[in-house]
Amino acid sequence: QHNPHWWGNRNTIVHLFEWKWSDIANECENFLAPQGYAGVQVSPVNENIISAGRPWWERYQPISYKLITRSGNELDFASMVRRCNDVGVRIYVDVLLNHMSGDFEGTAVGTGGSVAEPSKKSFPAVPYTAADFHPSCDITDWNDRFQVQQCELVGLKDLDQGNNWVRTQLIAFLDHLIQLGVAGFRVDAAKHMAASDLKFIYDNVRDLNTDHGFPNNARAFIFQEVIDHGHETVSREEYNQLGAVTEFRFSEEIGKAFRGHNTLKWLQSWGTAWGFLPSEQALTFVDNHDNQRDSGEVLNYKSPKQYKMATAFHLAYPYGISRVMSSFGFDDRDQAPPQDASENIISPQFDVEGACTNGWICEHRWRQIYNMVGFKNAVRGTGLSNWWDNGDNQVAFCRGSKGFIAFNNNNYDLNETLQTCLPAGTYCDVISGAKLNGACAGKSVTVDGNGYAHISIGANEFDGVLALHADAKL
Ligand code: QV4
């Protein structure tokens, strides 16, 4: 279940974190399809507890499988999936199979009005009772398989996926989403469930819905959240045969490189030589909704120049199943998504250039990022060649005869005549601008009859990348 079922030459997923279904439907039609995005990872869809202040993470504490959250109800969800599929943009749902909510004082009322008593492991809207859960215990030793897979991750009531009733509920939930037209799932906290139980569940979920344009016998795309920094008792190798796995080492290493804590020239061997999973099994990202909130090497939107460079590298280098993060702005970890006084999530608003204004960051609408999504589409199927570096933090490479990219992360200018591998002509740099009405809005680069061109990226330029591709030729 490694096939993401992309449409046409598209090949990048965006995580529209905490967006409402109706806004995602509009985004598919107005922005994602025109810019060539392949799919959207959406926030959890099923009913969750209501936590004071409405932190984003309340959605990781489910109390039923009713499709009612602050993002919308089942009708909204179904309409979004239909509208996105109609324009060739796939929907992948973040699903919580590991657990239900954590302790809650007294009776909890969920986003869909269902009641539950989490401390008694009583979730009548499913229904689940204490017998459906593992006995309570804490995870104190992350290298103890029993604790990791049978105790409670941050106190979240741990479902027993070996139990028939639990399996039946989980399979029915996934089947319901497939029936509504989704293309696959991000499996939250996969590491906290036995791979053999997950295999049973995946194997028994129905094929994708042909009414939504999927071929006969198509299986859901599955990407599993397994954080594996290496040397872990529960490793990514237990899960990668079942579906793709989130490659956290990619996120850490790319952040380290573009923060200047590793030299860019070493990126020449990027990929499995770095200990990453095989490309078709690796779900790759610069940051995700968890690690963008941690300090450390991981980059996020708060370091825009380096973030855009790392993202450009991510999308230009032929490795991995790429996911772009689209965030809301935050000052502290628990901060709620943009909401009004009645705690309704608000819709993103856009300025004249299409950037989001009201608390949403929308990295996916940054020109340097969406134009690299276009680059990745334009070079799809080509290999990497003609790697060049200055022995330090200036690097460049070709993607077949379809694309060329150069990076400057040194504190001095890049000024070189380089092989671009492109046919002769004038190309628009898609980072500083784009091809608009037959002219380049930003830099233009002239490629000679032998494929060479003069490439310049000043150390103090707004962006440290220059990217050319076949679809941006004048
Ligand atoms: C608190 C204490 C616990 C205590 C518990 C008792 O911290 O020690 O046992 O009370 O009731 C929130 C709070 C957390 C609180 C918990 C339960 O932050 O303090 O526990 O609720 O009330 C998200 C957030 C968590 C949040 C959780 C549930 O990140 O902060 O917890 O949602 O709302 C590991 C895992 C990996 C996981 C990662 C974060 O291997 O699988 O930690 N990542 C996924 C998601 C992540 C999500 C979960 C898993 C849980 O990406 O976003 O956690 O669904 O690495």
Side-chain angles (χ1 to χ4, degrees):
Q1 312 198 286
H2 295 84
N3 181 349
H5 303 290
W6 289 325
W7 187 86
N9 70 343
R10 298 180 190 172
N11 60 160
T12 302
I13 295 169
V14 56
H15 180 194
L16 293 179
F17 183 46
E18 286 280 5
W19 278 46
K20 288 187 290 183
W21 310 148
S22 56
D23 295 331
I24 293 177
N26 292 336
E27 194 71 351
C28 282
E29 293 168 353
N30 301 335
F31 191 83
L32 300 177
Q35 296 300 341
Y37 280 91
V40 184
Q41 177 186 321
V42 302
S43 281
V45 293
N46 56 312
E47 179 174 20
N48 58 266
I49 56 147
I50 295 172
S51 188
R54 313 308 300 267
W56 59 271
W57 46 254
E58 70 173 35
R59 296 183 67 169
Y60 291 86
Q61 303 204 31
I63 72 166
S64 85
Y65 297 112
K66 293 181 192 159
L67 307 190
I68 312 181
T69 63
R70 287 212 289 169
S71 286
N73 62 25
E74 179 162 347
L75 279 177
D76 302 325
F77 181 79
S79 154
M80 167 190 74
V81 180
R82 173 67 69 189
R83 287 170 60 189
C84 290
N85 275 328
D86 280 351
V87 292
V89 178
R90 302 309 187 199
I91 299 292
Y92 309 99
V93 176
D94 193 351
V95 291
L96 311 165
L97 311 180
N98 178 61
H99 54 261
M100 299 299 279
S101 102
D103 280 343
F104 197 90
E105 272 181 49
T107 301
V109 180
T111 47
S114 301
V115 295
E117 288 198 70
S119 54
K120 295 185 180 154
K121 302 183 181 178
S122 168
F123 298 89
V126 179
Y128 285 140
T129 64
D132 299 314
F133 294 82
H134 290 129
S136 294
C137 47
D138 290 333
I139 305 177
T140 53
D141 177 358
W142 284 75
N143 274 314
D144 180 326
R145 175 180 299 276
F146 177 87
Q147 289 189 22
V148 170
Q149 298 194 324
Q150 303 208 24
C151 292
E152 295 172 348
L153 170 63
V154 293
L156 302 164
K157 303 305 173 194
D158 200 64
L159 286 166
D160 175 4
Q161 292 81 16
N163 171 314
N164 262 328
W165 175 254
V166 173
R167 288 178 167 186
T168 308
Q169 305 318 303
L170 297 179
I171 291 165
F173 170 53
L174 300 178
D175 278 350
H176 184 196
L177 297 174
I178 287 177
Q179 187 216 330
L180 295 175
V182 308
F185 309 105
R186 170 202 184 257
V187 178
D188 183 72
K191 179 185 195 171
H192 301 275
M193 296 176 273
S196 53
D197 288 336
L198 286 179
K199 179 172 175 17
F200 180 89
I201 292 167
Y202 303 159
D203 284 351
N204 285 282
V205 165
R206 57 177 282 177
D207 291 341
L208 296 184
N209 190 342
T210 52
D211 292 344
H212 282 262
F214 298 105
N216 284 323
N217 308 316
R219 303 296 293 160
F221 176 52
I222 286 180
F223 56 106
Q224 305 161 99
E225 190 219 11
V226 177
I227 304 178
D228 180 348
H229 307 282
H231 321 292
E232 320 242 349
T233 301
V234 182
S235 76
R236 62 188 185 180
E237 275 75 21
E238 296 175 29
Y239 299 87
N240 59 349
Q241 302 310 315
L242 307 178
V245 171
T246 51
E247 184 48 278
F248 277 80
R249 297 182 211 182
F250 180 112
S251 169
E252 287 146 16
E253 294 291 354
I254 206 167
K256 201 171 158 188
F258 284 93
R259 278 182 190 281
H261 301 156
N262 194 2
T263 312
L264 294 192
K265 68 168 179 178
W266 300 120
L267 297 180
Q268 181 170 7
S269 62
W270 190 243
T272 51
W274 287 58
F276 304 159
L277 288 164
S279 182
E280 62 287 355
Q281 299 175 0
L283 194 289
T284 57
F285 48 95
V286 173
D287 60 332
N288 80 350
H289 71 279
D290 288 324
N291 70 14
Q292 70 172 187
R293 288 173 164 68
D294 304 335
S295 51
E297 296 286 11
V298 173
L299 282 164
N300 66 17
Y301 72 88
K302 297 183 188 193
S303 310
K305 186 169 179 179
Q306 272 65 40
Y307 189 76
K308 286 179 280 181
M309 292 174 77
T311 302
F313 188 84
H314 177 205
L315 298 176
Y317 199 97
Y319 173 80
I321 301 166
S322 306
R323 178 181 64 195
V324 166
M325 180 70 205
S326 186
S327 319
F328 60 83
F330 61 89
D331 296 317
D332 65 78
R333 186 179 191 277
D334 296 339
Q335 193 170 323
Q339 58 184 6
D340 65 18
S342 316
E343 299 187 336
N344 297 306
I345 295 179
I346 58 175
S347 299
Q349 284 167 3
F350 312 110
D351 68 15
V352 283
E353 286 176 333
C356 292
T357 54
N358 52 342
W360 300 97
I361 303 296
C362 302
E363 295 90 323
H364 74 287
R365 278 177 167 261
W366 295 3
R367 180 188 68 241
Q368 299 86 344
I369 293 180
Y370 66 75
N371 276 349
M372 285 307 299
V373 170
F375 179 102
K376 192 171 162 97
N377 292 344
V379 304
R380 187 169 176 183
T382 67
L384 185 153
S385 69
N386 295 74
W387 177 276
W388 169 87
D389 64 61
N390 68 341
D392 202 24
N393 285 304
Q394 298 182 348
V395 303
F397 57 86
C398 302
R399 288 293 306 274
S401 57
K402 295 281 174 108
F404 169 82
I405 191 158
F407 298 83
N408 181 11
N409 206 28
N410 274 128
N411 56 9
Y412 49 89
D413 297 348
L414 183 160
N415 262 310
E416 298 278 341
T417 298
L418 296 174
Q419 176 57 255
T420 66
C421 314
L422 295 166
T426 301
Y427 293 80
C428 300
D429 167 30
V430 299
I431 301 295
S432 56
K435 182 177 149 188
L436 279 178
N437 307 322
C440 296
K443 293 181 187 174
S444 61
V445 171
T446 307
V447 174
D448 72 18
N450 296 317
Y452 282 91
H454 184 256
I455 304 298
S456 138
I457 308 174
N460 296 322
E461 279 185 36
F462 188 66
D463 289 310
V465 197
L466 177 145
L468 315 175
H469 63 75
D471 298 341
K473 186 172 189 276
L474 287 188

